[in-house]
Amino acid sequence: MLTIILWMLLAYFMLPLCWLAVNATKSNVDLFGTFGLAFAPNFALFDNIAQLFAFQGGIYLRWFANTILYAVVGAGGAALVAAMGGYALAKFDFHGRKAVLAIVLGATAVPGTALAVPTYMLFTQWGLINTELAVIIPALVSPFGLFLMLVYAQDAVPDSMIEAARIDGAGEARIFWTIALPLMAPGFVTVLLFQLVATWNNYFLPLIVLNQSDKFPLTVGLSLWNKLANAGGVNLAQPLYPLVITGSLLAVLPLLVAFVFLQKYWQSGIAAGGVKE
């Protein structure tokens, strides 16, 4: 029974990706004239990619570069901030530690969309609206990632090793970078992957803080094209639906590559704390 449920869940999650991969190979006529999960006689994937890169002066490549910038800087910075914060909360007993921990736990329950409007008003006062920083700065904060690194640091970094390093004369910064961070690498990669996916798929915040299309990430840009396609139907001089579908397929590939190369670290990071010795 469990196997059947797992196969059903696998089909549920894989079906949209299969639909996307199949329909990215179709022309605009075949897209609406053939079954969604069956390939059309004419293989138009490369034509769709060529049109995708050429449409509106190749702005798709700009959106792709923007997304990579937002995701790499935002996710990398968030993982580093979470690692430093989690290590500090796990290994240092300072005044107000419990209050900070309570705030972090409470922040994990606040959805990001609820903070989008306050963030917009704050960035308006700071003059950051329509800049890359308006997308990157909120991505650097990950309460869930910080809590995850706290739990991981408690088990992965022995107190005796820290004390030995202090006796040998190592400073706190050197202990963190040369001893604690390598031991926390699986947890670091786990947070990095979570935040990479969240930043890559972020839509609402870039939508309200960015005004110029050349600063859009893929999510906002492809949504704009989809709205244009819906407004003009299928009779546009340049059919947009194949471009939206092909662009969506290409947008998924970097995340799949990241999961393939980092999944072993991700699995070990998720399992941390599951076994108590």
Side-chain angles (χ1 to χ4, degrees):
M1 185 63 184
L2 182 60
T3 303
I4 295 175
I5 294 175
L6 290 177
W7 276 108
M8 292 176 64
L9 289 174
L10 178 64
Y12 175 79
F13 288 111
M14 290 300 296
L15 192 61
L17 186 60
C18 294
W19 185 94
L20 192 65
V22 170
N23 287 277
T25 65
K26 297 179 181 179
S27 65
N28 190 61
V29 175
D30 291 334
L31 182 62
F32 293 95
T34 59
F35 179 58
L37 294 176
F39 288 100
N42 298 321
F43 188 79
L45 175 62
F46 298 112
D47 291 337
N48 289 339
I49 294 176
Q51 294 176 16
L52 176 70
F53 290 163
F55 187 63
Q56 292 185 343
I59 197 170
Y60 178 83
L61 294 175
R62 183 60 183 268
W63 293 342
F64 210 104
N66 292 340
T67 304
I68 292 175
L69 172 67
Y70 300 148
V72 171
V73 177
L80 184 59
V81 171
M84 291 189 293
Y87 172 75
L89 287 173
K91 298 301 177 182
F92 292 91
D93 187 13
F94 54 90
H95 184 69
R97 176 179 175 275
K98 292 184 178 179
V100 173
L101 183 57
I103 293 173
V104 171
L105 288 174
T108 58
V110 179
T113 52
L115 302 176
V117 174
T119 301
Y120 172 81
M121 299 176 67
L122 185 64
F123 283 174
T124 300
Q125 296 178 351
W126 291 353
L128 295 177
I129 292 299
N130 201 35
T131 66
E132 288 81 358
L133 291 177
V135 180
I136 293 174
I137 291 177
L140 298 176
V141 181
S142 174
F144 175 74
L146 196 153
F147 179 73
L148 190 63
M149 291 306 300
L150 184 157
V151 175
Y152 196 86
Q154 287 177 333
D155 294 331
V157 185
D159 293 337
S160 58
M161 188 175 293
I162 297 175
E163 291 300 326
R166 287 171 179 164
I167 293 173
D168 290 340
E172 297 299 335
R174 183 180 179 184
I175 293 173
F176 173 76
W177 289 107
T178 60
I179 298 176
L181 190 58
L183 293 174
M184 296 162 59
F188 181 88
V189 174
T190 302
V191 175
L192 179 66
L193 273 176
F194 279 136
Q195 198 63 17
L196 181 67
V197 174
T199 309
W200 193 275
N201 295 327
N202 194 6
Y203 171 74
F204 188 57
L205 181 64
L207 178 66
I208 65 174
V209 299
L210 299 177
N211 300 323
Q212 296 177 350
S213 61
D214 60 344
K215 291 185 171 62
F216 286 170
L218 286 169
T219 51
V220 179
L222 291 174
S223 175
L224 177 64
W225 281 1
N226 188 54
K227 290 179 181 177
L228 291 176
N230 291 335
V234 296
N235 297 320
L236 292 172
Q238 172 65 56
L240 289 182
Y241 284 120
L243 304 189
V244 173
I245 294 173
T246 306
S248 300
L249 177 65
L250 297 184
V252 172
L253 296 182
L255 291 180
L256 294 179
V257 173
F259 267 91
V260 169
F261 281 99
L262 300 176
Q263 55 90 19
K264 61 179 181 180
Y265 301 102
W266 178 54
Q267 289 176 350
S268 59
I270 288 292
V275 178
K276 188 175 182 62
E277 297 179 353

